[in-house]
């Protein structure tokens, strides 16, 4: 049986042309429709190492009927039953994500065995589905996602935000045409050609931070995280305050569970762009993961104020772990106000009733 889900309209606050390419969010006024998701369980022989499972699937975007191309990349995020981020990956259109999950004796607040997989663009979450990871250790759990990319009929032409003078870059004539060709190659999903062209640009002009950033993103699409990190670092060396490169580097290190190393670029990303909900959320999560909850609180609060309801869930987890159940109840209540269709709503409501002060 196919599950049909409606995606939400994309809204972008991109500040310059390079954001349109690297973040692939130049498709304002468009939306994705989740056509189908398949859930397959394939039991295999139990591993001697314990309860380890594989979660994987394909992500496909069909933009054949649209007059604008769909996004080149999407982010796949795996959450555990308590709402903690287990792992995240950036995948290209038609790409495959893979997560290895090791189940411990204590899953967190809700030990139900259920996890959630979310699909995000740079503009926010598109859809989220629930999977139940249990049974024989070594089992495979498959969840595919298929989207149809459509242009919203009658949508007004979007207004792009004011370009920051600090992020503008006047490249010389020698590389200007190469950069345009590279952008065209990215739009056509010819990433090998884009890599070659961008490589030529940065070899000629090592200060072109926009080209370095785009190169890093193309490397990620090609599943080359080492090369992507080097490119982002080169972009930051050329322009230390370029928020997109800082955010991408922090996101990459977070996906690799290098939380200590993610804190520095994410801190600078928040300094450069305080209104970035994702930068605040990722920085708060990084501090949580290295057990510095007191530092996480401010960033998670800011992320929640900027429209990321999952920040309330993480704050609730933090307060519950610290024994401050009344505060946890408040955060869970705020989360449910913003996410009334949350799959574990009943369990949160039970927690709130039991712990909220009158």
């Amino acid at each position: 049986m196919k599950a049909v889900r409606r995606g939400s309209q994309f809204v972008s606050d991109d500040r310059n042309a390079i954001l349109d390419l690297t973040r692939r969010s130049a498709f304002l006024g468009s939306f994705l429709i989740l056509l189908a998701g398949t859930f397959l369980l394939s039991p295999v022989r139990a591993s001697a190492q314990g309860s380890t499972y594989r979660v994987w699937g394909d992500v496909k975007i069909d933009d054949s009927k649209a007059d604008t191309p769909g996004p080149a990349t999407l982010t796949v995020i795996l959450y555990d039953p308590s709402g903690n981020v287990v792992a995240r990956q950036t995948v290209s259109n038609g790409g495959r994500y893979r997560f290895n999950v090791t189940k411990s004796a204590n899953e967190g607040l809700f030990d139900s065995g259920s996890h959630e997989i979310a699909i995000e663009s740079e503009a926010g979450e598109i859809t989220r589905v629930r999977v139940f990871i249990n049974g024989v250790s070594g089992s495979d759990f498959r969840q595919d996602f298929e989207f149809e990319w459509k242009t919203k009929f009658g949508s007004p032409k979007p207004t792009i935000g004011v370009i920051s003078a600090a992020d503008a870059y006047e490249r010389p004539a020698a590389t200007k045409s190469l950069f345009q060709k590279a952008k065209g190659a990215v739009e056509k999903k010819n990433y090998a050609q884009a890599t070659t062209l961008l490589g030529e640009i940065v070899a000629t002009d090592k200060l072109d931070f926009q080209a370095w950033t785009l190169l890093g993103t193309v490397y990620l699409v090609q599943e080359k995280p080492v090369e992507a990190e080097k490119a982002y670092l080169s972009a930051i060396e050329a322009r230390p305050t370029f928020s997109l490169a800082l955010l991408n580097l922090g996101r990459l290190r977070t996906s690799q569970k290098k939380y200590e190393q993610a804190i520095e670029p994410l801190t600078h990303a928040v300094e450069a762009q305080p209104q970035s909900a994702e930068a605040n959320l990722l920085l708060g999560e990084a501090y949580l993961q290295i057990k510095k909850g007191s530092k996480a609180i401010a960033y998670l609060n800011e992320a929640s104020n900027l429209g990321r309801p999952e920040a309330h869930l993480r704050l609730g987890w933090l307060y519950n772990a610290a024994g401050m159940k009344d505060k946890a109840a408040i955060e869970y209540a705020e989360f449910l106000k913003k996410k009334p269709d949350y799959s574990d709503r009943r369990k949160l409501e039970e927690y709130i009733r039991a712990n909220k002060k009158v």
Side-chain angles (χ1 to χ4, degrees):
M1 181 175 67
K2 293 185 177 181
V4 180
R5 294 171 180 265
R6 296 287 176 181
S8 58
Q9 183 176 344
F10 281 18
V11 180
S12 171
D13 59 352
D14 296 345
R15 295 182 297 141
N16 50 51
I18 186 64
L19 300 188
D20 292 341
L21 267 296
T22 58
R23 300 172 77 171
R24 299 298 299 162
S25 56
F27 316 109
L28 300 171
S30 300
F31 58 92
L32 289 173
I33 301 175
L34 176 61
L35 295 179
T38 60
F39 176 77
L40 304 176
L41 170 61
S42 305
V44 296
R45 188 174 298 275
S47 166
Q49 300 300 318
S51 300
T52 302
Y53 305 85
R54 291 180 295 273
V55 182
W56 61 281
D58 296 330
V59 181
K60 181 180 179 181
I61 303 169
D62 180 7
D63 57 4
S64 59
K65 298 178 182 179
D67 56 11
T68 59
T73 64
L74 292 170
T75 300
V76 186
I77 306 173
L78 178 67
Y79 294 89
D80 72 10
S82 298
N84 305 313
V85 175
V86 177
R88 67 175 69 215
Q89 291 179 10
T90 300
V91 297
S92 59
N93 183 16
R96 175 169 291 177
Y97 68 90
R98 299 178 183 87
F99 298 129
N100 290 323
V101 179
T102 301
K103 289 187 65 177
S104 61
N106 183 7
E107 288 281 2
L109 182 60
F110 303 118
D111 190 12
S112 62
S114 62
H115 286 56
E116 290 184 330
I117 299 176
I119 304 293
E120 290 187 353
S121 73
E122 291 300 328
E125 184 173 298
I126 301 167
T127 190
R128 183 183 292 223
V129 299
R130 194 175 185 189
V131 296
F132 290 86
I133 302 175
N134 48 32
V136 179
S137 177
S139 298
D140 277 6
F141 292 81
R142 179 171 181 174
Q143 176 69 56
D144 292 332
F145 295 89
E146 185 176 356
F147 299 94
E148 182 179 2
W149 180 256
K150 290 184 176 181
T151 300
K152 187 175 181 182
F153 179 78
S155 295
K157 186 175 180 180
T159 301
I160 305 300
V162 178
I163 298 175
S164 169
D167 290 341
Y169 188 72
E170 289 293 332
R171 58 184 49 85
T175 59
K176 186 175 293 186
S177 61
L178 287 176
F179 191 74
Q180 292 302 318
K181 290 179 181 178
K183 290 195 295 184
V186 171
E187 291 174 356
K188 296 176 182 177
K189 303 179 178 63
N190 189 341
Y191 303 119
Q193 183 185 23
T195 300
T196 299
L197 291 169
L198 292 166
E200 292 180 23
I201 293 173
V202 296
T204 302
D205 183 6
K206 297 187 182 300
L207 296 180
D208 194 335
F209 61 94
Q210 295 180 346
W212 277 118
T213 302
L214 181 52
L215 180 59
T217 301
V218 172
Y219 277 137
L220 276 185
V221 173
Q222 296 174 308
E223 299 183 358
K224 297 179 179 179
V226 174
E227 291 86 348
E229 181 170 12
K230 291 179 180 178
Y232 290 141
L233 286 170
S234 295
I236 294 167
E237 182 179 0
R239 186 62 60 90
T241 58
F242 189 41
S243 60
L244 181 57
L246 292 163
L247 177 59
N248 284 352
L249 178 59
R251 185 190 297 121
L252 172 59
R253 289 176 174 175
T254 298
S255 71
Q256 298 171 324
K257 299 187 178 180
K258 298 178 179 178
Y259 300 110
E260 287 272 12
Q261 298 178 40
I263 286 175
E264 181 180 0
L266 289 172
T267 298
H268 292 311
V270 170
E271 291 171 351
Q273 196 173 8
Q275 297 302 307
S276 171
E278 185 176 10
N280 279 281
L281 182 64
L282 288 176
L283 184 53
E285 182 67 28
Y287 276 122
L288 274 188
Q289 293 293 338
I290 65 171
K291 304 187 186 305
K292 293 185 178 180
S294 59
K295 290 189 175 181
I297 291 174
Y299 298 108
L300 292 175
N301 276 326
E302 188 65 17
S304 68
N305 293 334
L306 292 169
R308 298 301 292 263
E310 62 267 39
H312 288 296
L313 204 61
R314 300 302 289 126
L315 283 166
W317 177 90
L318 174 62
Y319 288 133
N320 178 74
M324 304 168 69
K325 295 183 180 295
D326 56 331
K327 286 193 173 184
I330 293 173
E331 293 299 334
Y332 288 143
E334 287 299 314
F335 173 74
L336 290 180
K337 287 180 183 178
K338 299 176 181 179
K339 291 283 290 185
D341 58 346
Y342 182 59
S343 57
D344 270 332
R345 180 183 181 91
R346 181 174 298 178
K347 292 182 178 179
L348 283 181
E349 288 176 334
E350 291 174 356
Y351 183 97
I352 294 167
R353 283 194 295 270
N355 296 286
K356 189 174 182 180
K357 290 183 177 180
V358 178

